DNA sequence: TAGATTGTTAATCGATTAACAATC
DNA sequence: TAGATTGTTAATCGATTAACAATC
């Protein structure tokens, strides 16, 4: 047995992707005054298999109690720690159109480990405006961003501007980017990018829908 | 060999999830006047392994040409057909805050197989307003939606309203829902739901960031 | 023809699920 | 103790990748 609790390594990507969902459900439970839960309850709330929940949580070294379940508060802390949310991460939003404003006003961000630390736009018409208590800065000011290495950059510009903005974020020292523009961006290797693409999600829904309506017609008996 | 081209079945979910990305890249290529491409080029543009591209495309029965590559126009048609995008799907948006307005004005939707067919909100202050050429209807009007079975419902409300809206969409006959509200919703089995959750994506980025910065400190030599 | 690139097979890898001993 | 539920192992399933014959 190791002398100290060694840092757990190699949490599967699929597990990491589910941890935020568990965290959200636990938050709702805590608000409702629920103290304790089970893998079955969590599974139903998130829409996965109970064994998957137990497997996921076992990667955290989080210890539930056999015969009893999981302590809501304790599990919340465990998952938060694993995700790195015991501190707040600064977020900057680039592009203050409707989408950017929606994100800036997103009540959930501050309660879920993030704080909006800067708003940037290239349009002189919006620079200087105040949104959710912050003033919109010119895009050029991104170069002076403090704590850039800790900051997550969110791209909420039109598609045409996404690559230019990504380059500017990288030049400013940002290494984590959430791309909400409907465009692909290319960044150097050490930069971590995730995408949110409404149109892609709709297209996947369309595929399922078409499959469901097309299938019966094809099932003609031999 | 089958007498007719049998309908392909069982395209893997992982493949379906990547088809929209191929489609987007092909669109950009077509605009740039590129006629032909290869699995390697597509792979680099999308950020995946070339063998994965070939495997994905082989599920479509789409035929590239050995030694030559894929015809951009032909492949575009094949993927569009597979995703069910040879027709336009109506989309209704519920909740016309900043997020809903961003979606309603999303230039990419109409060019990617969708048309915004209705806007709904519960707030009397916004009902009757015009957004992107459409008038915002009261939420109660959702019950009279024509072609509900073909329609995709997009929830862009605050978290607190998400479940109520989902129930109303389902009652109106909608079977495909994109949930952009920061809340989980529960729907009856035949309804297909996908989520877009900014906070979850940020949390996954935070995990990677924390892992990257924490790791060196832990790698103390024995 | 020689060079290029697909489509497909087989090998590998990772994720899910079933099942149950451990144990509260 | 009896009942409940975890943590973990082993089995299954699906997805990725390497490799190469097919063939343009």
């Amino acid at each position: 047995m190791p002398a100290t609790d060694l840092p757990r390594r190699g949490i599967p990507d699929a597990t990491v992707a589910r941890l935020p969902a568990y965290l959200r459900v636990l938050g709702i439970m805590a608000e409702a005054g629920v103290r304790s839960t089970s893998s079955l309850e969590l599974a139903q709330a998130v829409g996965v298999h109970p064994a998957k929940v137990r497997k996921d949580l076992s990667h955290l070294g989080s210890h539930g109690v056999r015969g009893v379940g999981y302590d809501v508060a304790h599990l919340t802390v465990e998952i938060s720690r694993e995700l790195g949310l015991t501190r707040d991460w600064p977020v900057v939003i680039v592009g203050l159109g409707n989408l950017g404003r929606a994100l800036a006003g997103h009540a959930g961000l501050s309660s879920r480990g993030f704080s909006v630390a800067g708003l940037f736009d290239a349009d002189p018409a919006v620079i200087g405006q105040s949104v959710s208590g912050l003033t919109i800065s010119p895009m050029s000011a991104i170069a002076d961003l403090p704590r850039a290495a800790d900051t997550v950059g969110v791209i909420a510009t039109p598609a045409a501007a996404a690559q230019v903005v990504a380059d500017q974020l990288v030049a400013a020292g940002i290494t984590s980017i959430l791309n909400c523009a409907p465009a692909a961006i290319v960044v150097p290797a050490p930069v971590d990018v995730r995408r949110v693409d409404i149109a892609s999600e709709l297209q996947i829904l369309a595929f399922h829908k078409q499959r469901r309506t097309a299938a019966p017609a094809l099932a003609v008996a031999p």
Side-chain angles (χ1 to χ4, degrees), chain A residues 89-126:
Chain A
W89 296 93
V91 169
V92 296
I93 297 169
V94 182
L96 274 296
N98 279 316
L99 179 56
R101 283 162 203 258
L103 297 173
H106 191 299
L109 290 194
S110 45
S111 65
R112 289 164 78 185
F114 303 91
S115 70
V116 180
L119 307 176
F120 298 90
D121 204 300
D123 182 355
V126 303

Side-chain angles (χ1 to χ4, degrees), chain A residues 23-76:
Chain A
L23 203 49
R24 177 156 27 81
V25 169
L26 289 168
I28 293 169
M29 287 177 172
E31 263 180 46
V34 175
R35 293 297 199 54
S36 170
T37 185
S38 66
S39 60
L40 183 63
E41 243 182 1
L42 279 169
Q44 289 171 339
V46 168
V48 300
H49 195 282
K52 202 185 272 187
V53 173
R54 294 200 295 279
K55 194 105 220 253
D56 283 343
L57 298 183
S58 75
H59 288 295
L60 270 61
S62 142
H63 284 220
V65 180
R66 291 171 203 236
V68 176
Y70 301 90
D71 181 81
V72 169
H74 179 240
L75 193 52
T76 300

